[in-house]
Amino acid sequence: MTTEAPRRTTAEFAPRPDELLEMYRRMRRVRRFEERAAQLYKATEIPGFVHLSIGQEASAVGACWPLGAADGITSTHRGHGHVLAKGLDTASMMAELMGKEAGTNHGRGGSMHIADPNLGIYGANGIVGAGLPIAAGVATAFRLRGTGDVVVAFFGDGAVAQGMFHEAVNLAAVWDLPVVFLCENNHYSEFSPAEKQHRAPLSARAAGYGIGYEYVDGNDVVAVARTVSGVVERLRRGEGPVLVEAETYRWHGHYEGDPERYRDEAEVAAAKERDPLIVARRHLAAAGVPETAVTAVDTEIDREIDAAVDRARALPDPAPETLHAYVTAPRPALPEPAAPTGEVFRTMDAVRLALEHELAADPAVFVAGIDVGEGGNVFGLTRGLAQAFPGRVRDTPISESAIVGTAVGAAMAGMKPVVEVMYMDFIGVCFDMLLNQAAKLRFMTGGRASMPLVVRTQFGAGRSSGSQHSQSLEALLAHIPGLTVVMPSNPADTYGLLRAAIQDPNPVVFVENRLQYGFKGPRPPVDHLVPLGKAKVVREGTDVTLVSWSRMVQDSLAAAELLAAEGVSVEVIDLRTIAPLDRDTVLASLAKTNRLVIAHEAVRDFGVGAELSALAVDEGFWHLDAPVTRVAAPPVPAPYAPALEKLWLPSRDTIADTVRRIAAV
């Protein structure tokens, strides 16, 4: 474990001989760790992919030098040096690379995904540029808590081409977040030279965002430490983010095994003349540090890395029974609440009241999204909340990846963000932050990353909103292990489920139907909570089980009422939570009625209805007396023309026709 660097002002920055030796020790640790990792990978003792940072030690160590234990970093797929420089121990890291249970992340992350938020390490990341929105989220948590801590977000020159770079830097600039965006410019974006990837220099980009810019020799650890110390000092005073460009060079290929046909040996040899360790040795010599002290450090680090390798080799692999561990955090068991009996209120009131209740009850909760603050949301759902909770209901740029990435980072840093993606159709714009970050980080960190966040969004066909504003995409989200997907059908459940989602320790996508915002129902008491992952039988019946969710539940209830007059008894189940799926409630009903119909607004093919059908013919096969049938939109984008949209959408009548046919079998 490395020791924390002392904090001193930039004006005082002139490292003492012992500090120079500590800088060298940290760099030597990174170098030897990487060299041994290369050997072990070649010998197949390390699986998967390995991206080494040999040649870039000074930028990692220098940038982390002014950071305290509470400060944060986000890293990249080439992140060993960053996390070692921030204080992670070599023994658990080596075990992680070898896929051992005692690894930093219990063998779930490997080389590209090492994290330990307890040390301010908010994750290396296999997705280029993904750490930048997460860094904005961590910095948001720091700013809201007023701790004065800062985040260094490492990224490579290739990440500048990512939209996430733009979104994160712009959001950080608008919110004046304490982030150092530190570009390790090693001159190559995978196989491509930087000059073929970008036309504008980073200095011009920084000016475009209205933030500061600093250039530094990334091979000189003292220069990097001096520059970043000055930037960090400014950020602690409350100044806005700064873009730092540390020019360096990676000695190895993009990955171990890279044939490196894109550069010649002479170029690499020339870069090695500026070896960061040699530059550091010159600083040591100029400071009068004897060569014997430097040699002693080399010996010390060699022994440390050897011991880490020997230990890792002797450790056991993860046990088979732990395969399902760390996917989700245990959620509190909640009883089914009593039916609400209060005055009538609307779904839109339920959303606002649930947010208001949780904001008042828990200072860790904040709300962010496009126009959710001063504008009160495009549907008026958050009107008045920004005034009631200053600074905790925050307007964002139109940057869905930054919005959801901010939620991910803030959640890891101890907050409970509730962020809004205005339309469910826009989930595609920020899908990485859901698919690869929110859903997977708890698993990939072996449970070290906390992820209590809610992404609110809405959908709803039937008002000619067209193909890009009408989609019901829950099947996409439900297919991702780690995500909880909730779709309420009435005002009381909207209130109780949203409160439960905000209190839940897992990432929840909360999907409202905008055509129900005016839908009325009895108001529950203020302490009303509805358990996640539990379906509800909303109408008892004996002849056919009808399963639905969201607005289609109301059409299903109307169909059941229509069929009751014909002597057909329909049991209606409201799933409420799509994932995790309450299989037991569906199977218990099927065992009673022996028939199953599923109605949903999403297109029929490859949907949640197909999953329920598979459940019925697998675990419920012997109860079936008729085919399992789905009532759903055909596999056609939502039409704009009202006549076609009406034909496309399921309705009370199409549901009733299908149930009538199945009941007669």
Side-chain angles (χ1 to χ4, degrees):
M1 182 73 68
T2 56
T3 56
E4 184 180 332
R7 293 182 180 177
R8 292 187 291 166
T9 66
T10 311
E12 298 171 340
F13 194 89
R16 300 185 305 265
D18 62 315
E19 292 176 319
L20 290 171
L21 194 61
E22 177 59 29
M23 288 180 182
Y24 177 80
R25 177 179 287 106
R26 297 182 187 189
M27 292 170 63
R28 179 70 178 180
R29 178 178 287 115
V30 175
R31 174 70 59 86
R32 287 300 296 143
F33 185 94
E34 299 287 63
E35 288 172 345
R36 288 304 300 275
Q39 295 166 2
L40 292 165
Y41 185 79
K42 188 174 182 180
T44 70
E45 292 189 70
I46 291 177
F49 300 108
V50 173
H51 306 76
L52 301 181
S53 60
I54 296 175
Q56 300 181 193
E57 297 85 356
S59 56
V61 171
C64 289
W65 184 255
L67 303 183
D71 294 313
I73 67 166
T74 60
S75 184
T76 71
H77 59 275
R78 198 179 310 284
H80 301 163
H82 308 144
V83 298
L84 285 169
K86 187 59 172 70
L88 200 57
D89 65 289
T90 52
S92 70
M93 272 189 66
M94 192 62 76
E96 182 63 28
L97 265 62
M98 291 190 183
K100 304 295 186 176
E101 175 62 35
T104 307
N105 305 121
H106 300 293
R108 269 62 173 188
S111 173
M112 288 189 284
H113 309 112
I114 293 175
D116 186 351
N118 289 328
L119 295 176
I121 299 168
Y122 293 96
N125 211 298
I127 309 299
V128 173
L132 303 178
I134 293 172
V138 176
T140 299
F142 292 167
R143 177 57 56 84
L144 288 173
R145 289 200 293 259
T147 59
D149 300 314
V150 304
V151 186
V152 173
F154 290 97
F155 64 100
D157 51 279
V160 177
Q162 283 279 0
M164 287 184 285
F165 167 83
H166 161 77
E167 292 193 23
V169 177
N170 186 59
L171 177 69
V174 170
W175 283 3
D176 287 321
L177 295 177
V179 186
V180 182
F181 291 102
L182 197 138
C183 178
E184 293 180 299
N185 183 357
N186 63 20
H187 297 280
Y188 282 93
S189 303
E190 297 193 359
F191 301 165
S192 301
E195 59 268 20
K196 292 186 178 180
Q197 296 283 301
H198 315 288
R199 286 291 180 263
L202 281 174
S203 56
R205 293 178 185 274
Y209 294 115
I211 65 174
Y213 168 82
E214 299 282 351
Y215 170 86
V216 66
D217 178 359
N219 288 346
D220 185 340
V221 68
V222 174
V224 176
R226 178 182 295 114
T227 297
V228 177
S229 293
V231 171
V232 166
E233 184 181 320
R234 286 152 53 188
L235 265 59
R236 294 199 199 282
R237 292 199 303 263
E239 298 182 24
V242 176
L243 179 58
V244 176
E245 180 177 8
E247 187 173 8
T248 182
Y249 194 86
R250 59 170 165 85
W251 292 9
H252 283 219
H254 170 58
Y255 56 88
E256 289 305 283
D258 177 0
E260 297 187 70
R261 296 190 181 95
Y262 48 88
R263 61 183 184 183
D264 57 43
E265 294 181 2
E267 178 183 314
V268 178
K272 288 182 178 180
E273 293 178 4
R274 286 283 295 163
D275 182 344
L277 270 69
I278 293 176
V279 174
R281 279 178 174 265
R282 291 176 186 149
H283 284 299
L284 288 165
V289 177
E291 183 66 24
T292 53
V294 179
T295 303
V297 168
D298 292 345
T299 302
E300 169 197 336
I301 296 301
D302 287 347
R303 288 174 178 166
E304 177 186 327
I305 303 302
D306 287 345
V309 173
D310 292 342
R311 173 183 178 274
R313 282 172 170 159
L315 290 169
D317 295 333
E321 59 267 24
T322 67
L323 174 63
H324 298 276
Y326 310 117
V327 178
T328 55
R331 54 176 36 112
L334 296 174
E336 182 65 35
T341 58
E343 64 188 39
V344 171
F345 80 145
R346 301 168 298 176
T347 298
M348 63 188 301
D349 302 321
V351 173
R352 181 181 55 79
L353 289 170
L355 292 173
E356 183 178 55
H357 187 287
E358 295 306 308
L359 282 162
D362 190 345
V365 175
F366 72 93
V367 175
I370 301 163
D371 294 326
V372 301
E374 295 302 318
N377 168 275
V378 67
F379 299 103
L381 304 180
T382 58
R383 196 166 293 150
L385 293 181
Q387 293 74 30
F389 303 95
R392 293 174 56 204
V393 181
R394 306 174 69 87
D395 285 323
T396 68
I398 303 176
S399 303
E400 284 81 5
S401 287
I403 292 167
V404 180
T406 293
V408 171
M412 279 200 286
M415 303 297 284
K416 294 181 180 178
V418 183
V419 297
E420 180 179 302
V421 173
M422 189 180 289
Y423 284 80
M424 195 179 192
D425 312 71
F426 304 165
I427 288 291
V429 182
C430 57
F431 202 40
D432 174 73
M433 284 294 152
L434 289 170
L435 168 68
N436 285 316
Q437 311 303 327
K440 292 186 173 71
L441 280 173
R442 186 175 195 277
F443 178 79
M444 292 193 304
T445 62
R448 287 184 183 266
S450 177
M451 204 56 59
L453 66 88
V454 175
V455 177
R456 279 188 52 253
T457 190
Q458 53 78 28
F459 79 108
R463 297 285 175 85
S464 292
S465 297
S467 300
Q468 293 180 345
H469 285 73
S470 304
Q471 298 169 90
S472 185
L473 301 172
E474 64 270 21
L476 288 178
L477 301 169
H479 190 68
I480 303 168
L483 282 185
T484 296
V485 183
V486 177
M487 299 181 74
S489 68
N490 61 69
D493 278 358
T494 298
Y495 177 84
L497 286 167
L498 182 53
R499 285 194 58 227
I502 296 170
Q503 295 178 22
D504 198 73
N506 297 291
V508 179
V509 181
F510 193 90
V511 186
E512 302 146 15
N513 190 300
R514 65 177 172 273
L515 273 68
Q516 284 197 302
Y517 283 144
F519 183 65
K520 297 177 181 179
R523 180 170 174 170
V526 293
D527 61 351
H528 188 72
L529 286 170
V530 177
L532 302 182
K534 297 293 183 182
K536 184 178 182 179
V537 176
V538 293
R539 182 187 177 105
E540 298 278 351
T542 57
D543 295 333
V544 180
T545 296
L546 175 57
V547 180
S548 191
W549 52 94
S550 191
R551 185 172 69 95
M552 204 56 60
V553 169
Q554 303 306 325
D555 286 326
S556 296
L557 287 169
E561 185 69 22
L562 183 68
L563 290 166
E566 303 173 17
V568 180
S569 177
V570 181
E571 180 148 297
V572 180
I573 295 176
D574 181 355
L575 281 186
R576 304 192 297 193
T577 300
I578 309 304
L581 182 63
D582 184 356
R583 292 169 166 82
D584 292 343
T585 297
V586 174
L587 289 171
S589 180
L590 177 59
K592 180 169 64 170
T593 67
N594 307 116
R595 289 169 172 80
L596 178 62
V597 174
I598 305 124
H600 56 74
E601 188 168 321
V603 295
R604 180 189 63 240
D605 293 16
F606 308 101
V608 177
E611 180 64 26
L612 288 163
S613 300
L615 173 68
V617 299
D618 181 5
E619 298 181 42
F621 179 78
W622 299 109
H623 298 300
L624 287 171
D625 288 343
V628 180
T629 307
R630 292 166 290 167
V631 186
V636 174
Y640 168 73
L644 292 178
E645 186 179 38
K646 183 177 180 180
L647 182 66
W648 178 80
L649 264 176
S651 67
R652 179 200 70 168
D653 292 335
T654 56
I655 294 170
D657 287 345
T658 303
V659 174
R660 192 179 289 117
R661 175 170 58 85
I662 295 302
V665 173

